[in-house]
Amino acid sequence: PEVDMIHESRVRHGVPPRGRAAGFTVIELITAVAVLAIVIAIAIPSLTNLLLDTGLKKSAIEVYTTVTYARSEAIKRNATVDIIPTGGNWKNGWTVQVGTTVLKTVPPSTTGMDDITTPGTISYSSTGRLTTPGTITYVLSVSGNPNVTTRRVIVDMSGRATIRQGTS
């Protein structure tokens, strides 16, 4: 009778009976790990696309701020300011220069971006307008991944820049 009272007291207070340990069984543990693996397998591709898309957006903003900065410096200094791709390739970064004086250096992108396509050097006159006629479009993309939206930085003849999504 005394043993039954102890057993009843332990059960009532959430203590497992003797001989049975508290915790997970092997089956429960394997099931939990399997469910976790499935959730991770589903989430990783979406996370990768999100990181690439965010990185591409960041690169487009960097191009936009560089163009805006170069235009501002051209007006402020009353001189021609050039944006020059490093090694002739925009993917390698670029510099903003007045003559041979470097005003700003932008390092290469680390976002997984394939390329920035646009003409070579871009120049602003002292009025803040492009020195070459027409509109210049920077196209930033990650090829082979339709889930990452292409970004365009468009610089009109007046020298003003805008950022757009997509290819058209």
Side-chain angles (χ1 to χ4, degrees), residues 36-54:
L36 181 63
I38 291 169
V39 169
I40 288 172
I42 291 170
I44 285 181
S46 297
L47 182 61
T48 301
N49 290 337
L50 176 66
L51 290 174
L52 283 171
D53 196 58
T54 302

Side-chain angles (χ1 to χ4, degrees), residues 106-127:
V106 178
S109 174
T110 58
T111 63
M113 174 179 55
D114 289 331
D115 201 6
I116 301 176
T117 58
T118 196
T121 300
I122 302 204
S123 299
Y124 279 95
S125 69
S126 60
T127 62

Side-chain angles (χ1 to χ4, degrees), residues 6-61:
I6 292 173
H7 175 71
E8 187 177 315
S9 171
R10 290 171 65 95
V11 170
R12 207 175 323 134
H13 292 96
V15 179
R18 289 187 189 175
R20 178 160 183 226
F24 296 107
T25 66
V26 173
I27 300 294
E28 290 170 333
L29 187 59
I30 290 173
T31 304
V33 170
V35 168
L36 181 63
I38 291 169
V39 169
I40 288 172
I42 291 170
I44 285 181
S46 297
L47 182 61
T48 301
N49 290 337
L50 176 66
L51 290 174
L52 283 171
D53 196 58
T54 302
L56 204 58
K57 186 184 295 185
K58 178 183 170 224
S59 294
I61 290 169

Side-chain angles (χ1 to χ4, degrees), residues 78-141:
N78 196 27
T80 299
V81 174
D82 301 314
I83 306 172
I84 304 168
T86 304
N89 188 339
W90 291 95
K91 187 178 177 181
N92 298 331
W94 53 88
T95 58
V96 177
Q97 296 180 205
V98 174
T100 58
T101 305
V102 175
L103 304 176
K104 179 179 181 179
T105 300
V106 178
S109 174
T110 58
T111 63
M113 174 179 55
D114 289 331
D115 201 6
I116 301 176
T117 58
T118 196
T121 300
I122 302 204
S123 299
Y124 279 95
S125 69
S126 60
T127 62
R129 293 181 163 271
L130 294 174
T131 59
T132 55
T135 299
I136 296 173
T137 302
Y138 293 82
V139 179
L140 297 87
S141 64

